[in-house]
Each structure stands twice: as structure tokens, then as C-alpha cells.
Amino acid sequence: MTDPKAILRRKDEHLDIALRQHAAQAASAFDEVRLEHCAAPELDLPAIDLSTPFLGWKLELPFLISAMTGGPERGAEINARLAAAAEALRIPMGVGSQRVAIEGAAAAGIDASLRRHAPSIPIWSNLGAAQLVQGYGVDEARRAMEMVGADALVIHLNPLQEAVQPGGDRNWTGVLTAIEALARSVGAPVIVKEVGYGISAAVARRLADAGAAAVDVAGAGGTAWAAIEGERAPDDAGRVAEAFEGWGIPTPLALAEVRQALPDLPLIGSGGIRHGVDAAKAIRLGADLVGQAGGVLAAALVSAEAVIAHFHTLAEQLRIACFASGSADLAALKRVRLLPRALPLHDL
């Protein structure tokens, strides 16, 4: 069994490196997506409806505070602030991996205290798919959910991160069978997500067939875990990880292809969402919810109020994107015409 204290140290290092990555982020695959502008929207901007249903919940905003964790001190503070902000915003919160807590070490704020900060919003617990292969099952999943009073369980897929991480979990044989067994028996929605390299249409179909209630494509463009592990690793392992810079399915492509293949699957778009215009593009491409983790981390290190202000800004940007595209609500936004990447000037 991996030393829980070593895992906690690693998660604290992850936070620091992720912060540096997001501070440096500029370009995005979402820059290649353009929504057709409507010069005469015939809409009242404040009346635009950003609410959305998701897995039986009626959400006021189409945002998700996605899985995030850290060492015992910072993790507890971050998770408390995120939970309080999620409650104020009326949006779901997904917690970071609960493996350390399940194995008896510090919970980093991923415990019953979350429900004191967020008594009424959806909270989603989190376990790694690799742990399912190693023997985690319904008992561990239910313990993870009970720890935080969760309404759903997230299973995260991180094969590349595990492959380049010294001491990572390399045996993924049987992972889909394990997810299917869990989805059949746990008694709550199972949501499956990547951690930043995307889910293809083929894999999404297999996950849906295995009983996943929803999929978060978590595509390339946000936190790059291979790069994070490469920065942490000794020289030889670091060189292995460096080769995977730029690996993965960009979030816009993953969303478009999964939505085309599975038109009725509840779908979350995360990975490289910088602002509300990116969120609008993600929704147009097929997302029902838009998630942020690393993108809200800087605010979470300050206060719950900073997290609330961050999402208020995203919401206002999304509302204006709806207005400027002639969309009275998110259903209309999903029908907005996408502009071609290159202007067809030769046809004029």
C-alpha cells in the first residue's frame, strides 16, 4: 500500500504546480471555435435563463466546481471555501480523490464538515478507477459517499498520469468491468471523468454501456498532469513525462464527438475553460454542465467570496455570450451556428 503521508505531500506539490500552469495559460483549443454573432437579438439581457437540469437536479447555473484536493492544511481550507461558495451559487461540487481518507490518513477537509458549509447543493464523492482494479468496490464507494454526504460518485480515469508517475498504478486490466459492477450496485449515480486528457466517443459509449450516469470529458487544455508529474519526478522519469506535452483530446473536440455519438448522455465539459465565453462554446458543443478545477484554484486560496466573485464573472460572460448570439436560454445556445475556422472570402 502506498504511504498515505507521501500521497498527501504529492497532492500539495500538485497544487503548487497546477497554480503555475494556470497562471501561464493563454491559448486554448476553444479559440478555434466561433459562435455566430446576432446583431439584433430581440432579448432582454437580464432575463436570459442560465438554469439547467442535470441528473434530476435543477441548477441555477450550468457550472460545476470540479475535483480538487491538496495536503491536509491547504486542502481543508480550499475545500471549505469551495463548499461555501457552491452553496451560495447553488451549483454542484465534486471533491478530490478520497483514497487517502479511505485508507485512514488525513481527509484534507473532504469529510462531514463539507455538509455544514453546503447543506443543500449536490456534492459528488470521488475515487480513482485504478483503485477499483486493486480491489475497491461497493463498500469503499459507500464509505466515500457517506464521508461527505454525497449525492453521486465520481470515478476518475487518469491512466497517463499514473503511467508517468513514479510508483503509479500501472495495471488497468478490468477497469470497465469494475465500473460496471459499481454502477450496478452502489445505489447512486456514477459519473466518470478523465483528469485532463479527454474521453473519446468510443470510450464514452463503453462507459455509458457500463452504466455511467454521466461523463465528464475533461479534455486537454487545462491542468496537464503528465507535465506536473514530470516536474516532480527524478531526471529519468521526468524525461519520460516530458514527451507527453500536448497529449490528449482537446476539450472542444471531445465534446463534439461524444455528443454526436451519444445525443442523450448527460455530459460535462471541463479542461481549459478560462472564462464564460469558453463555457458558452462548451455548451454549444454539447456540454450540459461546465466544470472548473484549476481555473478557480487561485480564488479558492483567497476566500469563499473570491470563488463566488469568480463564478459571478463567468456567469455574466456566459449571459452576454447568449445575448450576443441571440439565445434566450441554454437550449437556444446549443442551436447557435458555428462559424467556419477560415473566412470563405474567395466565395464573395
Side-chain angles (χ1 to χ4, degrees):
M1 182 182 294
T2 304
D3 179 7
K5 292 182 179 179
I7 297 176
L8 288 171
R9 285 194 301 271
R10 182 173 75 218
K11 291 181 181 300
D12 230 8
E13 293 170 0
H14 287 166
L15 284 182
D16 292 328
I17 301 171
L19 272 170
R20 292 198 295 273
Q21 279 190 1
H22 283 272
Q25 185 179 6
S28 165
F30 280 105
D31 294 334
E32 299 297 314
V33 180
R34 301 189 69 179
L35 306 180
E36 183 173 73
H37 175 67
C38 178
E42 294 281 356
L43 294 170
D44 177 17
L45 176 60
I48 288 172
D49 183 7
L50 299 183
S51 68
T52 187
F54 192 81
L55 295 182
W57 295 293
K58 177 70 171 179
L59 306 174
E60 295 183 12
L61 295 169
F63 299 137
L64 160 69
I65 296 177
S66 197
M68 202 181 310
T69 187
E73 293 184 7
R74 284 200 299 175
E77 292 178 352
I78 288 168
N79 283 302
R81 291 165 182 163
L82 293 174
E87 180 72 19
L89 293 160
R90 315 298 304 153
I91 62 175
M93 174 184 173
V95 305
S97 174
Q98 293 172 263
R99 175 185 179 184
V100 174
I102 289 287
E103 294 179 2
I110 304 176
D111 54 28
S113 67
L114 288 183
R115 271 299 176 204
R116 293 197 292 272
H117 296 292
S120 65
I121 55 100
I123 293 179
W124 300 344
S125 58
N126 186 325
L127 292 174
Q131 278 67 64
L132 300 184
V133 174
Q134 295 173 359
Y136 275 32
V138 173
D139 288 346
E140 289 80 7
R142 288 178 177 161
R143 282 176 58 199
M145 294 185 68
E146 289 167 3
M147 280 181 186
V148 295
D151 306 283
L153 172 68
V154 172
I155 299 298
H156 67 264
L157 304 171
N158 63 335
L160 179 57
Q161 180 188 6
E162 295 288 353
V164 301
Q165 181 185 104
D169 296 311
R170 309 290 178 88
N171 183 4
W172 281 60
T173 305
V175 66
L176 283 166
T177 300
I179 290 172
E180 182 174 12
L182 193 62
R184 187 171 56 245
S185 305
V186 75
V190 172
I191 301 165
V192 184
K193 74 180 299 290
E194 237 283 350
V195 301
Y197 294 98
I199 290 178
S200 67
V203 170
R205 187 180 298 279
R206 291 160 69 191
L207 291 169
D209 290 344
V215 165
D216 181 349
V217 299
T223 304
W225 286 103
I228 287 176
E229 297 298 351
E231 188 168 335
R232 292 182 55 256
D235 288 347
D236 288 348
R239 282 192 289 271
V240 171
E242 287 170 2
F244 291 90
E245 182 177 355
W247 184 273
I249 308 168
T251 303
L253 180 61
L255 282 170
E257 292 191 343
V258 173
R259 177 53 73 217
Q260 182 177 21
L262 298 161
D264 298 322
L265 178 70
L267 194 59
I268 302 168
S270 67
I273 303 292
R274 300 163 297 178
H275 42 59
V277 177
D278 284 349
K281 294 174 180 179
I283 291 166
R284 169 58 184 85
L285 292 168
D288 300 302
L289 284 187
V290 177
Q292 271 198 328
V296 73
L297 179 55
L301 289 172
V302 177
S303 65
E305 291 75 19
V307 176
I308 293 168
H310 170 87
F311 279 104
H312 279 166
T313 298
L314 259 67
E316 185 62 13
Q317 292 165 339
L318 174 58
R319 194 181 307 275
I320 293 172
C322 288
F323 181 73
S325 62
S327 306
D329 54 25
L330 300 183
L333 178 61
K334 291 184 177 185
R335 298 191 296 269
V336 169
R337 177 173 174 259
L338 295 175
L339 297 181
R341 289 180 57 186
L343 295 177
L345 296 178
H346 60 278
D347 293 333
L348 297 180

